[in-house]
Amino acid sequence: MLEELINKVDELGGIRSQYDIDQDLRAFLSKTDWYVVREAETGQPVPEQIKAQREFARNQISS
């Protein structure tokens, strides 16, 4: 899923800028923050797939 964001082409069919990739990855992290909050508040664990995707996203963000 996240690999698709990184490998997506821009509007002109070229390679996307790192800024655009970072923006998409940050949006993904923002959308999945509720899992982390839920775990902190209720103890219900974040699904392993989501944890792995969030770690991948954090590692891919350049700044």
Side-chain angles (χ1 to χ4, degrees):
M1 175 191 158
L2 294 180
E3 290 84 4
E4 293 172 8
L5 288 177
I6 293 170
N7 296 324
K8 225 165 70 169
V9 295
D10 66 11
E11 301 84 37
L12 301 175
I15 297 173
R16 296 176 67 221
S17 71
Q18 186 62 46
Y19 175 82
D20 290 337
I21 293 169
D22 289 353
Q23 290 295 98
D24 286 347
L25 293 172
R26 285 188 180 101
F28 168 78
L29 288 173
S30 181
K31 289 177 186 176
T32 57
D33 279 347
W34 70 271
Y35 284 107
V36 179
V37 173
R38 181 185 69 181
E39 182 175 54
E41 290 182 351
T42 69
Q44 186 172 354
V46 177
E48 290 301 317
Q49 181 182 4
I50 298 296
K51 280 185 183 180
Q53 289 175 336
R54 288 178 58 84
E55 181 179 5
F56 177 82
R58 286 191 305 273
N59 290 333
Q60 295 299 311
I61 294 173
S62 68
S63 50

